[in-house]
């Protein structure tokens, strides 16, 4: 059998007679003798050829069968992941209301926000819709509460959970929930109630900076900012709290200050997690305040080191991994449900009539909107990009909505800088 080098091999560093090589599909990272690297790069390899590294190189993806088209393999695996119907677990995103008590300047919902909220009839219909999709082999059911601001419909969430639990009480199904919230209304009473009675295990709260920047970006008051900070502190007693820090060009130092403030209040709490998120220009205004991917990636590496130092944790290499689909919502079996019971394929579509793909009462419409979304094509340059296994063309929603359709979510700088740091810290490699 014949073999050649993987197209996803990335040279991180050449040092004397050695080459540090990373494969973005397999995630393997190795130090090869330069003669071995030159051999697999320039020659067709036969399995009968004596090579002390052959089996390892093949197992770790640095070489592959000559006939294998690696790009087509990824595309095929993604198609299988999108359409497969594994019934052991189901997840839904539900927006109980499109009402919000803040007005974020960058919100992708700004043009579609309205006063819609779940009615009692819609609650019943959604519970029935979910129940019909549970199979004998279903063992896990997860609900993510979204909005608007979902806690503007707090009582509706309580009513929904009671009816859903009544529906699945006779089944051996592990039920869990999470919430994406701005945190202003997440007081200790609500947190405890949601954790104890609604299976809420974690929340994501977005913070854009210290008080001045936060209030400017979100149309919030100083009192609301303080409420969020206080609510985060109390919520840690009941569930995991992920702090999403929206990063632009000019607020990075401010975000670090927010983190320092929270750590000073909470300590290195096991339930407290931070992550940096790239602010996305959905308006395509090309504002100078939005980071390029390279700029963001460099900030992200610095941020990870900063967090570890602040929380007295060991900094460890964390490389992104290949995944068969970009996100769970890209899979056909998962849906976002709006306050009228309407169905969407992405939470970024909520409130947009042209992106409705069905309704919990009538089922799927098999509309052009649904098929256009789950069958998005890739840019031509994706076919030759060495980072394609990690990026998969980027967020499908961004690819569809952003005019140039370029939604790369990782740069070569990120991979190389991470691994060069690792090499420097482990000279014995």
């Amino acid at each position: 059998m014949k073999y050649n080098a993987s197209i996803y091999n990335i040279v991180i560093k050449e040092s004397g007679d050695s080459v540090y090589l990373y494969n973005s599909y397999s995630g393997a990272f190795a130090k090869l003798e330069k003669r071995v690297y030159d051999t697999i790069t320039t020659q067709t390899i036969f399995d009968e050829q004596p090579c002390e590294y052959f089996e390892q190189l093949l197992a770790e993806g640095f070489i592959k069968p000559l006939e294998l088209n690696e790009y087509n393999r990824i595309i095929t695996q993604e198609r299988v992941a999108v359409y497969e119907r594994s019934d052991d677990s189901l997840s839904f995103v539900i927006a109980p209301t499109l009402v919000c008590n803040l007005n974020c300047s960058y919100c992708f919902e700004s043009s579609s926000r309205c006063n819609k909220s779940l009615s009692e009839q819609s609650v019943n219909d959604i519970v029935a819709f979910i129940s019909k999709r549970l199979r004998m082999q279903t063992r896990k059911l997860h609900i993510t509460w979204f909005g608007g601001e979902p806690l503007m419909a707090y009582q509706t969430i309580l009513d929904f959970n009671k009816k859903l639990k009544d529906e699945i009480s006779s089944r051996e199904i592990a039920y869990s929930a999470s919430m994406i919230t701005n945190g202003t209304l997440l007081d200790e009473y609500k947190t405890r109630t949601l954790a104890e009675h609604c299976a809420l295990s974690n929340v994501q709260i977005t913070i854009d900076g210290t008080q001045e920047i936060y209030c400017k970006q979100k149309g919030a008051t100083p009192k609301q900012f303080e409420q969020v900070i206080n609510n985060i502190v109390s919520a840690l007693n009941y569930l995991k709290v992920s702090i999403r820090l929206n990063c632009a060009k000019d607020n990075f130092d401010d975000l670090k200050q927010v983190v320092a403030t929270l750590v000073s209040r909470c300590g290195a709490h096991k339930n407290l997690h931070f992550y940096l998120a790239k602010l996305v220009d959905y308006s395509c205004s090309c504002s100078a305040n939005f980071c390029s991917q390279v700029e963001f990636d460099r900030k992200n590496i610095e941020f990870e080191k900063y967090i570890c130092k602040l929380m007295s944790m060991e900094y460890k290499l964390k490389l992104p991994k290949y995944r068969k689909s970009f996100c769970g919502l890209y899979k056909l079996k998962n849906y976002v449900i709006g306050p009228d019971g309407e169905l969407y394929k992405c939470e970024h579509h909520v409130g947009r009539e042209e992106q409705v793909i069905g309704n919990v009462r009538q089922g799927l419409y098999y509309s052009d909107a649904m098929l256009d979304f789950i069958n998005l094509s890739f840019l031509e340059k994706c076919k030759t990009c060495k980072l394609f296994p990690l990026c998969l063309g980027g967020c499908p929603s961004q690819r569809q909505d952003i005019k140039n359709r370029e939604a790369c979510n990782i740069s070569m700088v990120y991979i190389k800088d991470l691994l060069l740091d690792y090499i420097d810290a482990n000279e014995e490699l």
Side-chain angles (χ1 to χ4, degrees):
M1 192 168 180
K2 298 178 182 179
Y3 303 85
N4 63 351
S6 167
I7 63 172
Y8 298 121
N9 288 341
I10 299 171
V11 175
I12 303 301
K13 181 180 179 180
E14 294 190 43
S15 178
D17 293 331
S18 301
V19 175
Y20 293 89
L21 195 63
Y22 168 73
N23 186 277
S24 61
Y25 178 80
S26 68
F29 179 51
K31 179 182 179 181
L32 304 181
E33 294 176 73
K34 192 171 187 307
R35 64 174 181 83
V36 174
Y37 172 74
D38 290 341
T39 298
I40 67 173
T41 304
T42 61
Q43 299 179 22
T44 299
I45 303 162
F46 297 86
D47 51 12
E48 64 269 17
Q49 286 179 324
C51 175
E52 57 188 306
Y53 298 103
F54 178 81
E55 293 298 334
Q56 190 174 0
L57 290 171
L58 185 61
E60 295 184 347
F62 293 117
I63 60 174
K64 51 84 178 178
L66 189 65
E67 296 83 1
L68 174 64
N69 186 309
E70 294 177 281
Y71 176 78
N72 286 350
R73 175 175 61 182
I74 292 173
I75 298 299
T76 302
Q77 289 174 333
E78 184 196 49
R79 293 295 87 198
V80 171
V82 168
Y83 286 102
E84 71 178 349
R85 190 176 180 83
S86 55
D87 293 321
D88 60 323
S89 63
L90 287 175
S91 63
F92 300 91
V93 176
I94 302 177
T97 180
L98 296 186
V99 177
C100 187
N101 59 337
L102 296 181
N103 186 26
C104 300
S105 60
Y106 49 78
C107 182
F108 59 84
E109 294 180 328
S110 58
S111 62
S112 56
R113 186 176 294 141
C114 61
N115 292 325
K116 290 182 179 178
S117 296
L118 280 177
S119 64
E120 183 178 356
Q121 184 59 54
S122 290
V123 167
N124 293 335
D125 292 338
I126 293 171
V127 169
F129 175 81
I130 292 174
S131 180
K132 287 179 183 177
R133 275 147 187 79
L134 298 175
R135 301 290 185 266
M136 289 297 296
Q137 61 268 45
T138 303
R139 293 292 174 262
K140 295 179 181 179
L141 172 62
H142 185 82
I143 302 295
T144 299
W145 295 104
F146 185 66
E149 168 48 49
L151 288 175
M152 297 288 284
Y154 169 69
Q155 187 58 50
T156 301
I157 292 174
L158 297 183
D159 295 342
F160 177 93
N161 274 276
K162 184 181 184 305
K163 291 179 179 180
L164 182 62
K165 283 187 173 182
D166 288 345
E167 190 70 29
I168 65 175
S169 60
S170 62
R171 307 280 298 275
E172 293 183 3
I173 295 176
Y175 172 52
S176 60
S178 58
M179 181 179 289
I180 299 171
T181 170
N182 60 39
T184 56
L185 304 175
L186 192 68
D187 58 50
E188 186 167 8
Y189 175 78
K190 289 189 180 74
T191 303
R192 184 175 66 251
T193 302
L194 290 168
E196 293 177 355
H197 301 290
C198 300
L200 191 71
S201 58
N202 61 83
V203 295
Q204 175 191 294
I205 297 174
T206 299
I207 298 182
D208 300 293
T210 50
Q211 185 180 106
E212 182 180 354
I213 290 180
Y214 179 92
C215 292
K216 181 180 178 181
Q217 289 280 62
K218 292 185 171 292
T221 65
K223 183 179 179 180
Q224 286 175 313
F225 175 79
E226 289 302 320
Q227 284 175 331
V228 173
I229 300 300
N230 292 333
N231 289 345
I232 289 170
V233 175
S234 63
L236 293 172
N237 296 317
Y238 306 97
L239 38 77
K240 293 180 180 179
V241 181
S242 295
I243 308 298
R244 174 187 168 111
L245 298 147
N246 280 338
C247 182
K249 278 190 176 183
D250 62 358
N251 71 335
F252 183 60
D253 290 338
D254 203 64
L255 292 176
K256 290 196 293 184
Q257 190 175 335
V258 170
V259 172
T261 299
L262 281 168
V263 172
S264 70
R265 291 278 301 272
C266 311
H269 201 289
K270 65 178 182 178
N271 284 343
L272 181 62
H273 306 275
F274 300 94
Y275 73 98
L276 209 62
K278 181 171 173 275
L279 202 57
V280 175
D281 183 11
Y282 278 94
S283 67
C284 300
S285 62
C286 300
S287 169
N289 194 35
F290 289 92
C291 293
S292 68
Q293 190 61 48
V294 170
E295 289 172 328
F296 173 77
D297 285 341
R298 284 181 168 147
K299 291 178 189 293
N300 200 18
I301 293 173
E302 181 183 341
F303 180 77
E304 288 293 329
K305 293 178 179 178
Y306 174 77
I307 288 291
C308 289
K309 183 178 180 180
L310 193 66
M311 301 184 76
S312 300
M313 300 186 303
E314 180 185 358
Y315 175 71
K316 296 180 180 179
L317 177 67
K318 294 180 183 177
L319 286 170
K321 296 181 179 180
Y322 165 66
R323 47 192 170 177
K324 292 181 180 179
S325 65
F326 188 86
C327 75
L329 286 174
Y330 202 43
K331 296 181 179 181
L332 188 60
K333 68 173 184 174
N334 298 330
Y335 306 100
V336 179
I337 305 175
D340 281 337
E342 73 276 23
L343 301 175
Y344 305 92
K345 281 309 299 170
C346 177
E347 66 259 34
H348 287 187
H349 294 165
V350 174
R352 293 166 54 183
E353 188 176 347
E354 75 278 7
Q355 292 291 358
V356 173
I357 64 167
N359 190 285
V360 295
R361 301 168 188 88
Q362 291 83 37
L364 289 177
Y365 300 154
Y366 293 97
S367 61
D368 290 343
M370 181 179 77
L371 293 181
D372 287 347
F373 182 70
I374 63 176
N375 291 305
L376 282 171
S377 59
F378 296 98
L379 295 177
E380 191 64 27
K381 69 177 186 178
C382 291
K383 294 181 180 180
T384 56
C385 179
K386 289 183 176 294
L387 297 178
F388 184 65
L390 306 177
C391 177
L392 294 180
C395 169
S397 176
Q398 290 178 25
R399 284 160 51 200
Q400 190 176 54
D401 290 346
I402 297 176
K403 290 180 180 178
N404 63 14
R405 296 185 70 248
E406 184 173 311
C408 304
N409 67 335
I410 192 170
S411 70
M412 189 65 75
V413 165
Y414 184 71
I415 296 297
K416 289 194 172 184
D417 282 2
L418 281 177
L419 287 171
L420 285 171
D421 277 354
Y422 181 79
I423 291 169
D424 290 342
N426 297 270
E427 290 295 337
E428 66 274 13
L429 280 174

